[in-house]
């Protein structure tokens, strides 16, 4: 049995994708059911219910936020997660190389591979790929579904330009060993990719057991602009203003309220500890991605 979970506000053509999914699964004789999210947190409940009732696969149809909710519902269960991307950033699709069509994504249910990955945490919330605090998260907090549907990834850049003129709070990162570093914005990545297909952490990987922390240490508007331009050119880590650290955990604080986001959705205010967990998730991915090197589990 496959449970299809989709977010109807993840884009104006989501209904067309669901219709095609229904058509293809029916034609193949695959038992399935379709459930629609009606608000924040619904995806977690629907995925958790599927796992508890023994559903073999949850198919998440939506953006990275929809995928994140399914991840939190399935964490630690035997139910596997498959994805048909339909959102703004689609970081997961870029990371694992999902096909660009509904047909291609559904073919992975039989022709792909199922892998097991460790999940990261931001406080009590699991995340699969990307979390952040400070400027990036503040921009995410100010975006809404209408802006995303109208402008796509451009909505993020427009919100970022507006937010440049606001006061940016100072953040403090505390790494294992009590090392303390000041920063203006902090990205925490499991994989290589960031929104818009940008490669931000070339040595990252979902099958590894660490986080890549990328922090803008220099305060002010122009360092943010320079960092954004460097990231778009694939040279984010070359700036002397950037700290790049591979770690299993980092605690981020701020003196005044500042936002945290996970997989493209606002989570809440700082402080938050980001770290690797021992909880795993079963993921359906293309064979080419599954064949990439697997890092030995820590002892």
């Amino acid at each position: 049995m496959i449970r299809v979970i989709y977010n109807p506000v993840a884009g104006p053509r989501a209904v067309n994708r669901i219709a095609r999914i229904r058509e293809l699964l029916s034609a193949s004789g695959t038992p399935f059911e379709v459930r629609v999210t009606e608000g924040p947190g619904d995806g977690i409940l629907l995925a958790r219910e599927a796992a508890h009732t023994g559903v073999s696969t949850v198919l998440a149809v939506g953006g990275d936020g929809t995928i994140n909710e399914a991840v939190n519902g399935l964490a630690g269960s035997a139910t596997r997660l498959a994805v048909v991307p339909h959102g703004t950033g689609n970081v997961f699709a870029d990371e694992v190389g999902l096909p660009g069509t509904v047909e291609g994504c559904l073919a992975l249910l039989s022709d792909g591979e199922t892998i097991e990955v460790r999940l990261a945490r931001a406080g009590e919330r699991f995340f699969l790929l990307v979390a952040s605090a400070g400027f990036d998260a503040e921009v995410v907090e100010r975006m809404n579904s209408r802006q995303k549907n109208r402008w796509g990834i451009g909505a993020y850049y427009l919100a970022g330009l507006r937010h440049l003129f606001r006061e940016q709070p100072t953040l403090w990162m505390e790494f294992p060993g009590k090392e303390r570093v000041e920063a203006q914005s902090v990205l925490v990545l499991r994989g290589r990719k960031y929104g818009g297909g940008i490669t931000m952490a070339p040595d990252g990987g979902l099958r590894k057991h660490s986080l890549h922390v990328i922090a803008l240490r220099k305060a002010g508007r122009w360092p943010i602009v320079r960092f954004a331009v460097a990231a778009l050119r694939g040279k984010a880590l070359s700036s002397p203003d950037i700290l790049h650290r591979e770690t299993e955990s980092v605690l981020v604080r701020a003196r005044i309220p500042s936002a945290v986001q996970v997989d493209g959705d606002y989570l809440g205010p700082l402080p938050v500890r980001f770290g690797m967990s021992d909880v795993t998730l079963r993921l359906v991915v293309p064979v080419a991605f599954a064949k990439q090197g697997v890092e030995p589990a820590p002892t």
Side-chain angles (χ1 to χ4, degrees), residues 127-202:
F127 67 95
L128 187 59
L129 284 166
V130 181
S132 67
F135 182 85
D136 176 80
E138 295 279 349
V139 171
V140 169
E141 182 188 8
R142 285 165 172 77
M143 292 172 61
N144 57 49
S145 298
R146 183 177 178 182
Q147 292 170 327
K148 291 179 182 179
N149 291 340
R150 184 174 182 181
W151 302 107
I153 194 65
Y156 175 81
Y157 298 129
L158 290 172
L161 285 173
R162 290 195 298 268
H163 192 57
L164 271 176
F165 297 96
R166 296 174 179 266
E167 181 183 359
Q168 308 302 320
T170 299
L171 312 181
W172 288 272
M173 301 177 293
E174 294 181 13
F175 291 97
K178 302 300 182 181
E179 179 189 9
R180 194 180 189 201
V181 181
E182 188 175 302
Q184 180 176 196
S185 186
V186 178
L187 302 179
V188 183
L189 293 90
R190 286 278 288 113
R192 300 170 59 247
K193 298 289 187 176
Y194 183 65
I198 298 170
T199 298
M200 191 71 75

Side-chain angles (χ1 to χ4, degrees), residues 29-47:
T30 304
F32 72 95
E33 59 186 10
V34 177
R35 298 296 178 87
V36 182
T37 62
E38 298 180 356
D42 279 5
I44 297 175
L45 298 177
L46 291 171

Side-chain angles (χ1 to χ4, degrees), residues 276-292:
M276 292 300 301
S277 78
D278 293 324
V279 179
T280 60
L281 175 77
R282 301 181 72 225
L283 272 176
V284 177
V285 298
V287 172
F289 181 82
K291 287 182 176 179
Q292 295 178 11

Side-chain angles (χ1 to χ4, degrees), residues 2-21:
I2 294 175
R3 171 171 287 189
V4 180
I5 299 175
Y6 89 98
N7 177 4
V9 299
R13 295 183 297 277
V15 174
N16 294 337
R17 291 214 158 195
I18 290 299
R20 185 61 176 150
I21 289 169

